[in-house]
Amino acid sequence: MLTASAAACASGSGPGADRAGGSGVGDPYFPKSGNGGYDVTHYALDLGYDPRARRLTGTATIDARARQDLGALNLDLQGLDVEDVTVGGTAARWSREGQELTVRPRDVLDRDARFRVVVRYSGVPKTVTDPDGSEEGWLPTADGALALGQPTGSMAWFPGNHHPSDKATYSIAVTVPKGLRAVSNGEPSGEETKGGRTTYRWRVGEPMASYLATVAIGRYETDRTRTADGLPVYTAVDPGQAEASRAILARIPEVVAWAERTFGPYPFSSTGAVVDRPEDAGYALETQTRPVFPGAPDILLLVHEIAHQWYGNSVTPRTWRDMWLNEGFATYAQWLWQEDHGGDTAQETFDLLYAGTYFPDAATNEALWSFPPAEPPDAASISATPVYWRGAMVLHRIRRTVGDDAFPALLRGWAEAHRHGTADTGDFTAYVEKSAPDKDFGRIWEDWLYGEGRPDRA
């Protein structure tokens, strides 16, 4: 599909004009996600939302660097109507096919060139159903909307390079009817009301994968405090969840301080939470700096999502096959919290899981051994039980191998080695082996990380 104005623009010519970045990065479960040929450095999103009509208008300004000569490049965008596209301030040709928005700049972009793409778009954003049946993307709520992106939903509300391997900084402006609030990642950078509408501005100064971006629009009660070390804490809570959430959200500074002692310095410039109604999402998500919860969380869920700020948000999986590096670490954080606060030790939790008596139902206990955590069988399984719980068991086996004295340094070192970057399972196993060269991890990798079925205990 070409608009009349876009089709009238001259196409690129000369050397490299036929070079196009890939329409996907070849992720093993979402091969069309992401795009080859360029890296995004910054997204500036200027959004407007009308909750009554459920209509979104947007301008996405995307700063990027070419990794090759580019006569065309792709952006991921599902649904929504594109109005025009410019590259370097000049109108560009564009076309749509599925989730791919293909842009053809007037002139070829040279390798290593820095360039800016501006896309104006509008429409009613889609709710995306994941392979596992959960819903993400743009979720309309009773008083606004909630945008969640794991694994692919972010392309439902802005065009971009939507794969965790390409992280960028963000500035996000959201204009909504007066009386509503718009909350996003990072720190607030301005607020103004004009003509019955209020614009809220947010900025994210550290690299962020697009699946971790969020926008929450509603009649939230907001609070701004600081931890004892001066870290800003921003919370936004649906009024119906305020009383139930007050005590647990007051523990955010305590959990962050414990996590810093356990995992190393907090990797971002603020923390906090969004608490919405349970019916608005139905699951929690570790959206960067500001996890989203479906109702008031308990302490272990809060620990889990804050631990993700190190493992998943700062150290981000290079592909969706590496999800256990997110969920195994965050689940093990729960075990460590219990161990440090008078609950079961990590060994006791491990023993119950291995014995098949941890979960209240036999089916979940059996599902723990249904596939190895580092090799989910399909896209529907990347958030299944083995990724979380057997992933945590892998970490406990590593802890038993290196010893309690060395294990804390390994946890902190992994977070530091890939801070604000991406990593895969091979990076992790190499890191562990380098950290403890006198230990043999072969059986852990073979039986617990990649092995089928329930490994022998010995």
Side-chain angles (χ1 to χ4, degrees), residues 265-285:
Y266 184 74
F268 303 111
S269 50
S270 69
T271 187
V274 174
V275 180
D276 230 319
R277 294 171 290 267
E279 61 268 24
D280 289 338
Y283 56 89
L285 188 64

Side-chain angles (χ1 to χ4, degrees), residues 67-227:
R67 299 176 61 189
Q68 64 181 61
D69 293 344
L70 286 173
L73 60 99
N74 282 29
L75 299 169
D76 299 310
L77 181 65
Q78 183 166 346
L80 299 172
D81 299 317
V82 174
E83 293 158 15
D84 61 65
V85 182
T86 63
V87 178
T90 301
R93 299 180 67 189
W94 55 270
S95 60
R96 302 287 298 276
E97 183 177 353
Q99 73 182 58
E100 302 298 327
L101 169 59
T102 301
V103 178
R104 295 188 177 275
R106 186 182 68 179
D107 299 314
V108 173
L109 300 169
D110 294 333
R111 179 175 180 172
D112 293 326
R114 296 188 178 275
F115 63 94
R116 172 171 290 178
V117 179
V118 179
V119 182
R120 291 197 309 118
Y121 59 99
S122 62
V124 177
K126 291 186 175 181
T127 295
V128 177
T129 301
D130 290 339
D132 67 2
S134 59
E135 292 187 335
E136 54 164 327
W138 192 268
L139 308 175
T141 65
D143 57 355
L146 180 62
L148 299 175
Q150 186 177 334
T152 64
S154 49
M155 66 180 174
W157 57 282
F158 70 97
N161 197 8
H162 291 299
H163 190 264
S165 59
D166 191 4
K167 301 167 71 170
T169 57
Y170 284 71
S171 54
I172 301 174
V174 188
T175 301
V176 295
K178 183 180 178 181
L180 297 182
R181 292 187 176 274
V183 180
S184 189
N185 312 85
E187 293 78 58
S189 59
E191 174 185 329
E192 61 179 344
T193 299
K194 184 185 302 183
R197 293 175 67 81
T198 304
T199 299
Y200 296 88
R201 301 183 186 279
W202 296 83
R203 57 180 174 80
V204 180
E206 300 90 3
M208 179 169 72
S210 64
Y211 81 89
L212 298 169
T214 189
V215 169
I217 298 169
R219 300 186 183 279
Y220 296 107
E221 295 182 9
T222 60
D223 190 35
R224 303 183 186 186
T225 59
R226 290 183 179 271
T227 68

Side-chain angles (χ1 to χ4, degrees), residues 31-81:
K32 284 294 186 181
S33 292
N35 300 279
Y38 66 95
D39 291 317
V40 177
T41 56
H42 184 76
Y43 292 94
L45 306 178
D46 190 350
L47 309 174
Y49 187 61
D50 179 354
R52 289 186 178 180
R54 296 188 173 181
R55 181 175 175 81
L56 180 73
T57 58
T59 299
T61 302
I62 303 166
D63 292 327
R65 180 184 63 84
R67 299 176 61 189
Q68 64 181 61
D69 293 344
L70 286 173
L73 60 99
N74 282 29
L75 299 169
D76 299 310
L77 181 65
Q78 183 166 346
L80 299 172
D81 299 317

Side-chain angles (χ1 to χ4, degrees), residues 338-389:
Q338 290 177 299
E339 189 172 81
D340 289 348
H341 292 82
D344 287 348
T345 65
Q347 184 63 52
E348 288 170 332
T349 302
F350 180 98
D351 290 342
L352 291 171
L353 285 164
Y354 190 83
T357 57
Y358 182 85
F359 298 106
D361 61 295
T364 306
N365 286 305
E366 292 173 6
L368 180 64
W369 312 111
S370 58
F371 63 83
E375 291 186 338
D378 50 39
S381 303
I382 63 171
S383 293
T385 301
V387 173
Y388 287 68
W389 296 90

